[in-house]
Amino acid sequence: MQATVSLFPADAMVTRVGCIGAGYVGGPTCAVIALKCPDIRVTVCDMNPTRIGQWNSDKLPVFEPGLDEIVQKCRGVNLFFTTDVVATIQESEVLFISVNTPTKTYGHGKGRAANLKYVESVAREIAKVARGNKIVVEKSTVPVKSAQSIADILKANRNSQNKFQVLSNPEFLAEGTAIEDLLNPDRILIGGEDSPDGWKAIETLSSVYKRWIPADRIITMNTWSSELSKLVANAFLAQRISAINAVSAVCEATGADVGQVALAVGKDSRIGPRFLQASVGFGGSCFQKDILNLVYICESLNLPEVAEFWLNVVSINDYQKQRFAKRIVNCLFNTVSGKRIAIMGFAFKKNTGDTRESAAIYVSAHLLEEGARLAVYDPKVEADQVTRDLNNVTGTPDVVRDQVEVCSDPYEAARGAHALVICTEWDVFQTLDYARIFAGMPKPAYVFDGRKILDHEKLTKIGFEVETIGKRVRNVSQSHPAAITNGAGSGDGAAGLNSCEDATGPDSEMTL
Ligand code: UDX
Ligand code: ADP
């Protein structure tokens, strides 16, 4: 590219930003840009008219604390939602691509590689209809070198008068705290081509973020580093969770408390306390997908040892979900057939209605396979979403129809249930009237706290049998406090063992 040709002058004021894809990333991101840049007209488009209809209604398609207020303030002023993809492309100087990049379910790279068909079709559409120069910003999480693919498609199909610069600007927002993360991010990462036009494009995009983000938090680098950084950041976060979840299994086998171990470990300033909360397993649209994507890249680059290292993060997560689900069955006297079980929380984390890869889906599917009847309660997940997820995972819609009830009230879900299974850490679960719930349950009444959020001592005082992650709770039915054993099933360690040990594990003898 000619160093003298200035496509995007550094001092050019951006006046129109567009975004293709009105999902969990595109919607909130653009809402915050509109809020912070009142002089920029921000248009978010999507090919799904239902989704756009929801963005234009009082019930937004995405639940995020603080989002409603921002949309209400900006919508119709400088924030617009439309299905008109062509007009959005044509009128925008900076164009975010924020479409879905799910894991491939077919062909080469099945189960690992990201499916880039939506990104590719958007790139082709931009090349076809764009008028004038554009900065195209890759916001969706994509494999390394995707920006190059987008640039190649744009170049091969463009009208000769148009010029494009492709930037990587990965989003680090977490669901449930998206608005806070967007308003006050740890960093903004922008990767671009190492050329004068590339630098200008980076500067132009930076000028938008600089309206509310200190310049020292805006990091610029080459495109490939930026793309890889996003995958690696998610892989590191997920790795921490799998690490503490692996430790939780050791804690259960030995009598240590994973919360205490996490506290001690996290106090080391080199490690830090965040993302050390042991749980039933991580979910969400990013962690598993991005790690599998990284694994695929490593395999493609003939780095099998590296691929295996990262794959283990996902394997431990699967192990954790299975372990928890099996423990429920074991505790309920090895059979849940025909028993009502309350699934408390279906979203993959609190403060979101998103269920993608939620551990609750896998725990529920396991219990359904064992013949349980499920009563599902989640404050933000709609009934048809629960049904869709369980149909997809089990492949048995008849079973889902006959054995799953979605309740709109937690007490209704708990009534008559043999067990409460906490899958999502919703705050509301901490303040329920558990004495009232206990009274309406067959005995022994179990609580399986997959999020470690409840007051276990209080629950056992009420009379519940409590099982949680990475810690043995001293239950009413146990005559001894949990004894510390070596976890190898030697000696008479079983005396203090919980009767719910995994039947497949070393301490497999059940004491009924
Ligand atoms: C993640 C990244 O945090 C974010 O930067 C990226 O942009 C998208 O992916 P998200 O998936 O929305 O965000 O949520 P996150 O808060 O990371 O939680 C992911 C999963 O891990 C949830 O199921 C959560 O409950 C679980 N988790 C998180 C734990 O089990 N323990 C922890 O200590 C932290
Ligand atoms: P994310 O979590 O990454 O935001 P979502 O699945 O929530 O992903 O949103 C992606 C959105 O992108 C969907 O609403 C989908 O309809 C939209 N989309 C995908 N391909 C296109 C396209 N070619 N043109 C317009 N919108 C698209």
Side-chain angles (χ1 to χ4, degrees):
M1 197 168 282
Q2 290 282 324
T4 49
V5 179
S6 178
L7 291 182
F8 310 99
D11 56 356
M13 289 291 288
V14 176
T15 58
R16 283 169 184 255
V17 165
C19 176
I20 306 178
Y24 285 89
V25 173
T29 305
C30 285
V32 168
I33 294 178
L35 179 74
K36 290 294 177 182
C37 311
D39 52 327
I40 296 183
R41 183 185 163 93
V42 182
T43 308
V44 190
C45 69
D46 202 292
M47 62 185 183
N48 179 342
T50 311
R51 204 161 233 202
I52 290 301
Q54 290 169 320
W55 278 111
N56 281 321
S57 74
D58 287 337
K59 191 163 186 291
L60 304 183
V62 169
F63 169 72
E64 276 296 340
L67 178 63
D68 276 19
E69 293 80 347
I70 297 177
V71 171
Q72 263 167 32
K73 185 167 177 207
C74 302
R75 192 173 55 197
V77 180
N78 69 328
L79 175 65
F80 303 89
F81 295 94
T82 175
T83 50
D84 194 340
V85 179
V86 173
T88 305
I89 293 172
Q90 290 178 339
E91 71 182 24
S92 306
E93 297 142 3
V94 174
L95 201 49
F96 289 102
I97 302 183
S98 225
V99 299
N100 31 337
T101 52
T103 304
K104 268 184 93 173
T105 52
Y106 54 84
H108 189 62
K110 179 180 169 184
R112 299 264 163 97
N115 189 340
L116 292 182
K117 71 175 183 175
Y118 303 106
V119 173
E120 180 178 337
S121 85
V122 168
R124 289 185 184 282
E125 185 72 4
I126 295 172
K128 194 167 106 195
V129 306
R131 297 200 196 116
N133 302 335
K134 309 266 173 218
I135 297 176
V136 177
V137 186
E138 172 189 85
K139 214 26 138 183
S140 321
T141 305
V142 286
V144 182
K145 301 263 172 187
S146 298
Q148 187 59 52
S149 308
I150 295 172
D152 291 346
I153 292 170
L154 291 174
K155 203 168 162 196
N157 294 284
R158 75 190 158 99
N159 168 323
S160 59
Q161 273 115 60
N162 297 342
K163 294 208 168 131
F164 300 102
Q165 271 294 316
V166 181
L167 300 179
S168 157
N169 174 217
E171 187 47 70
F172 293 102
L173 66 80
E175 286 178 35
T177 53
I179 299 302
E180 209 181 301
D181 296 341
L182 286 160
L183 290 173
N184 190 22
D186 288 341
R187 79 301 209 184
I188 292 289
L189 181 55
I190 306 177
E193 186 183 284
D194 192 8
S195 71
D197 279 330
W199 306 331
K200 294 260 167 57
I202 289 174
E203 232 173 289
T204 306
L205 183 59
S206 301
S207 74
V208 174
Y209 287 115
K210 275 184 191 158
R211 311 280 194 97
W212 77 98
I213 296 162
D216 61 1
R217 287 201 220 155
I218 301 177
I219 310 170
T220 61
M221 57 183 64
N222 78 44
T223 321
W224 326 139
S225 301
S226 169
E227 289 176 332
L228 186 59
S229 299
K230 166 69 190 197
L231 293 185
V232 172
N234 275 347
F236 265 62
L237 290 169
Q239 182 202 27
R240 281 173 73 96
I241 303 168
S242 277
I244 200 69
N245 282 344
V247 170
S248 76
V250 181
C251 290
E252 286 159 33
T254 57
D257 176 342
V258 73
Q260 294 176 351
V261 175
L263 178 75
V265 170
K267 286 283 180 198
D268 185 324
S269 59
R270 293 168 301 176
I271 297 172
R274 299 184 67 191
F275 271 70
L276 287 180
Q277 174 71 24
S279 69
V280 53
F282 62 72
S285 71
C286 288
F287 283 173
Q288 175 163 311
K289 181 187 79 172
D290 289 355
I291 292 174
L292 292 176
N293 194 345
L294 188 58
V295 167
Y296 177 71
I297 292 168
C298 295
E299 284 171 345
S300 310
L301 297 170
N302 198 21
L303 300 168
E305 292 83 358
V306 185
E308 201 187 327
F309 173 81
W310 288 113
L311 193 55
N312 278 329
V313 174
V314 175
S315 306
I316 287 288
N317 198 47
D318 291 340
Y319 164 75
Q320 188 75 349
K321 290 183 278 191
Q322 275 168 23
R323 223 164 62 77
F324 186 69
K326 279 186 188 168
R327 179 130 61 106
I328 297 169
V329 179
N330 292 342
C331 286
L332 296 180
F333 311 103
N334 259 335
T335 177
V336 290
S337 177
K339 289 179 183 165
R340 180 178 172 95
I341 296 179
I343 302 292
M344 308 297 266
F346 208 74
F348 80 97
K349 63 188 276 196
K350 74 172 180 179
N351 292 336
T352 177
D354 193 352
T355 59
R356 288 178 288 181
E357 297 298 336
S358 176
I361 300 174
Y362 295 92
V363 172
S364 300
H366 182 91
L367 295 173
L368 285 177
E369 208 172 303
E370 293 284 339
R373 291 184 299 116
L374 304 183
V376 180
Y377 169 74
D378 187 289
K380 285 291 167 198
V381 179
E382 309 278 346
D384 59 348
Q385 185 63 48
V386 173
T387 309
R388 247 193 323 272
D389 288 334
L390 291 177
N391 285 348
N392 283 344
V393 167
T394 62
T396 53
D398 291 353
V399 171
V400 174
R401 191 194 53 225
D402 296 344
Q403 292 175 217
V404 179
E405 181 192 342
V406 181
C407 304
S408 52
D409 173 81
Y411 295 99
E412 186 193 329
R415 197 175 310 126
H418 288 253
L420 311 178
V421 179
I422 310 290
C423 288
T424 314
E425 73 280 27
W426 285 105
D427 291 343
V428 64
F429 295 152
Q430 289 173 319
T431 53
L432 294 177
D433 179 348
Y434 283 96
R436 173 182 160 196
I437 288 177
F438 182 75
M441 292 172 71
K443 309 299 178 305
Y446 271 91
V447 171
F448 296 91
D449 184 359
R451 292 295 187 159
K452 298 166 61 57
I453 52 163
L454 301 184
D455 182 339
H456 301 145
E457 208 182 312
K458 199 165 149 197
L459 290 174
T460 53
K461 277 196 187 130
I462 292 173
F464 280 104
E465 299 290 320
V466 180
E467 295 294 322
T468 190
I469 304 279
K471 181 186 172 188
R472 293 191 199 160
V473 178
R474 186 178 176 178
N475 279 316
V476 192
S477 62
Q478 290 173 277
S479 48
H480 306 288
I484 296 176
T485 72
N486 65 7
S490 59
D492 67 350
L497 277 179
N498 195 306
S499 64
C500 303
E501 289 296 325
D502 181 351
T504 60
D507 303 304
S508 62
E509 282 176 60
M510 296 287 299
T511 45
L512 290 179

